[in-house]
Amino acid sequence: MSGFDKVVTSYEEAMAGLQDGMTVIAGGFGLCGIPEGLIAQIKRMGTRQLTVVSNNCGVDGFGLGVLLEDKQIKKMVSSYVGENALFEKQLLNGELEVELTPQGTLAEKMRAGGAGIPAFFTATGYGTPVGDGKEVREFNGRPYILEEAITGDFAIVKAWKADRYGNCVYRHTAQNFNPMAATAGKITVVEVEEIVEPGELDPSQIHTPGIYVNRVIRGTFEKRIERLHVREEA
Amino acid sequence: MALTREQIAQRVAREFKDGDYVNLGIGIPTLAANYVPDGISVMLQSENGLLGMGPYPTEAQVDADMINAGKETVTAITGSSIFSSAESFAMIRGGHVDITVLGAFEVDQHGNIASWMIPGKLVKGMGGAMDLVAGAKNIIVTMTHADKYGNSKLLPECTLPLTGVNCITRIITDLAVLEIRDGAFYLAEHAPGVSIEEIKKKTAGKLIVPEHVPEMLF
């Protein structure tokens, strides 16, 4: 079964083949469930002119925000980018392009991309700037806009555990966009907290089947918290 | 007297029915979770992929893998479920969420809402707001009736770029509860101590005032 062993042991191997101008789909919501080591590797590689598809763009100095430091990102496709001063600066001086996409539409674009569906109709964004220039069709008396799927040259994903065959499970809300991202990359790389042997994960509890996954690497994670909010013990 | 943020939240919570699945936006809507009436259970949906959101964690419960849509640390209640963003928005777009409560810059008498973009100011993004207003069955907007200069935020037509068209059902402001009915704002309740005259003065859109306007209950 060695043909199914997806495990790689270095970040160089994990991101091998990434080139200037490519599209990278990244899982994560804010700083939760982001492939920290894979992002760091892209920074080390210095790959430029990237289109990055991710719900957010990290914060200054962490997450995808680090790729802004050396101007590696040409375009972001995101639903919300408000947490990042460097992002704001590069956007305002024209060094960075952003395509704001409603969060559910973004998730569905990735899902559709991974499922071989080139486009879909949705009510989201009809009558708003998001719908400008897009085809409108009425179904059952309601207008919908046509949105196109997204695929990436690479997808970078954070999972909790994976087995050697690339079957993945996510932990808590660190799941978010990761399962859709995993399906939508020509090369999907998953960074995990723990690699286990095939059979150790319950087959009926797998979130992402290994067929979508090309490479698995074990990482160590800082898991920075963006907004710590605690309540007093009762 | 105009209502405080807490009082608006308290009034919002009276909209909840036992067994409702509810999505609360950031700000006043989130506060409504603190005022769910006795005997009523609602399950809170957080669009990053959590149904059954609980209170903020204690210091010991903090878990970086457990956040809400505002990216704050949070907990999950017993009986919650956690899923992907696509699943989360399938339940939103598919009309499975009973009530969505969100803030706005402006609403108009056709049920349109503008809540994400002010031209000339930096646009941070719409997040999940466009999906929520396009999908939920019952969309309640909370906002102050007028801006700090006294200009009405309830307009004949929104002036800002829209978040969604013909979608909102109710507006709960610091002065009143209004419904969208036949292309007009229908005055359903007034806040205690707030006159009908004041509401009329601060509503730029078409306002229907029935013979009897009940006072808001909390």
Side-chain angles (χ1 to χ4, degrees), chain B residues 3 41 44 57 73 157 178 187 197:
Chain B
L3 302 183
S41 296
L44 300 178
T73 47
E157 300 276 350
L178 306 103
L187 183 56
E197 281 316 304

Side-chain angles (χ1 to χ4, degrees), chain B:
Chain B
M1 275 287 284
L3 302 183
T4 63
R5 288 162 55 86
E6 278 71 20
Q7 287 171 314
I8 297 174
Q10 228 172 320
R11 177 59 190 81
V12 167
R14 283 181 59 89
E15 300 284 317
F16 300 156
K17 293 189 295 295
D18 198 19
D20 274 349
Y21 295 102
V22 178
N23 183 293
L24 301 176
I26 291 164
I28 293 172
T30 298
L31 296 175
N34 300 331
Y35 299 106
V36 178
D38 289 344
I40 301 262
S41 296
V42 298
M43 215 178 261
L44 300 178
Q45 204 259 15
S46 186
E47 64 266 23
N48 58 317
L50 168 60
L51 187 60
M53 181 167 58
Y56 293 118
T58 61
E59 200 86 48
Q61 290 173 325
V62 168
D63 184 334
D65 289 339
M66 198 66 206
I67 65 167
N68 64 19
K71 301 177 184 118
E72 300 168 315
T73 47
V74 77
T75 59
I77 63 167
T78 302
S80 63
S81 55
I82 294 175
F83 34 81
S84 73
S85 299
E87 184 77 52
S88 181
F89 282 94
M91 54 186 81
I92 291 167
R93 290 164 180 244
H96 305 280
V97 174
D98 297 299
I99 300 184
T100 277
V101 188
L102 76 171
F105 301 138
E106 294 175 348
V107 295
D108 72 27
Q109 63 200 35
H110 309 291
N112 299 331
I113 172 172
S115 66
W116 72 287
M117 179 180 180
I118 297 178
K121 286 199 179 172
L122 190 79
V123 183
K124 294 180 172 181
M126 67 294 282
M130 286 190 183
D131 305 281
L132 282 158
V133 299
K137 291 177 213 160
N138 186 4
I139 296 160
I140 299 169
V141 172
T142 62
M143 57 197 261
T144 55
H145 214 94
D147 67 18
K148 59 184 171 184
Y149 307 107
N151 300 312
S152 178
K153 291 156 82 171
L154 286 75
L155 305 174
E157 300 276 350
C158 286
T159 62
L160 296 169
L162 297 179
T163 310
V165 295
N166 190 18
C167 56
I168 64 171
T169 45
R170 262 182 171 223
I171 306 135
I172 299 178
T173 76
D174 53 341
L175 306 182
V177 177
L178 306 103
E179 290 165 13
I180 301 293
R181 279 197 203 173
D182 306 321
F185 296 108
Y186 176 89
L187 183 56
E189 297 171 21
H190 69 88
V194 170
S195 70
I196 306 296
E197 281 316 304
E198 184 179 356
I199 295 165
K200 278 185 180 167
K201 209 176 84 196
K202 289 186 175 165
T203 306
K206 188 175 168 194
L207 180 70
I208 296 171
V209 183
E211 208 161 309
H212 173 66
V213 180
E215 184 174 293
M216 217 183 270
L217 296 172
F218 295 94

Side-chain angles (χ1 to χ4, degrees), chain A residues 29-30 32-33 56 78-83 88 91-92 100-108 111 120 122-130 142 158 171-177 179-180 193 223-233, chain B residues 26 47-50 55-75 82-87 89-90 93 116-117 122-135 161-165 167:
Chain A
F29 185 94
C32 182
N56 315 95
S78 302
S79 86
Y80 190 80
V81 290
E83 320 290 358
E88 200 172 312
L91 185 63
L92 289 173
L100 289 173
T101 304
Q103 200 173 124
T105 296
L106 186 62
E108 193 65 15
R111 199 197 70 76
F120 56 92
T122 177
T124 300
Y126 171 77
T128 79
V130 166
R142 190 170 181 201
K158 155 73 177 38
R171 185 171 176 274
H172 297 341
T173 61
Q175 181 172 165
N176 56 61
F177 282 84
M180 285 76 66
E193 294 176 44
K223 292 198 187 181
R224 193 180 293 186
I225 290 174
E226 200 162 337
R227 299 217 174 98
L228 180 67
H229 201 135
V230 295
R231 72 188 146 98
E232 298 300 316
E233 305 266 0
Chain B
I26 291 164
E47 64 266 23
N48 58 317
L50 168 60
Y56 293 118
T58 61
E59 200 86 48
Q61 290 173 325
V62 168
D63 184 334
D65 289 339
M66 198 66 206
I67 65 167
N68 64 19
K71 301 177 184 118
E72 300 168 315
T73 47
V74 77
T75 59
I82 294 175
F83 34 81
S84 73
S85 299
E87 184 77 52
F89 282 94
R93 290 164 180 244
W116 72 287
M117 179 180 180
L122 190 79
V123 183
K124 294 180 172 181
M126 67 294 282
M130 286 190 183
D131 305 281
L132 282 158
V133 299
L162 297 179
T163 310
V165 295
C167 56

Side-chain angles (χ1 to χ4, degrees), chain A residues 2-83:
Chain A
S2 63
F4 293 105
D5 191 342
K6 314 283 172 83
V7 174
V8 297
T9 50
S10 75
Y11 283 103
E12 288 77 14
E13 278 177 274
M15 292 309 293
L18 182 71
Q19 289 168 13
D20 289 358
M22 281 187 164
T23 295
V24 178
I25 301 181
F29 185 94
L31 302 181
C32 182
I34 57 171
E36 296 178 20
L38 299 177
I39 294 168
Q41 175 60 19
I42 297 174
K43 169 133 174 114
R44 279 194 295 273
M45 290 168 78
T47 321
R48 297 173 71 87
Q49 294 288 104
L50 295 172
T51 295
V52 177
V53 183
S54 171
N55 190 52
N56 315 95
C57 193
V59 297
D60 289 313
F62 196 71
L64 290 168
V66 302
L67 301 184
L68 297 169
E69 292 164 2
D70 301 319
K71 299 179 185 168
Q72 291 175 264
I73 301 176
K74 178 186 70 175
K75 180 179 174 183
M76 276 304 298
V77 181
S78 302
S79 86
Y80 190 80
V81 290
E83 320 290 358

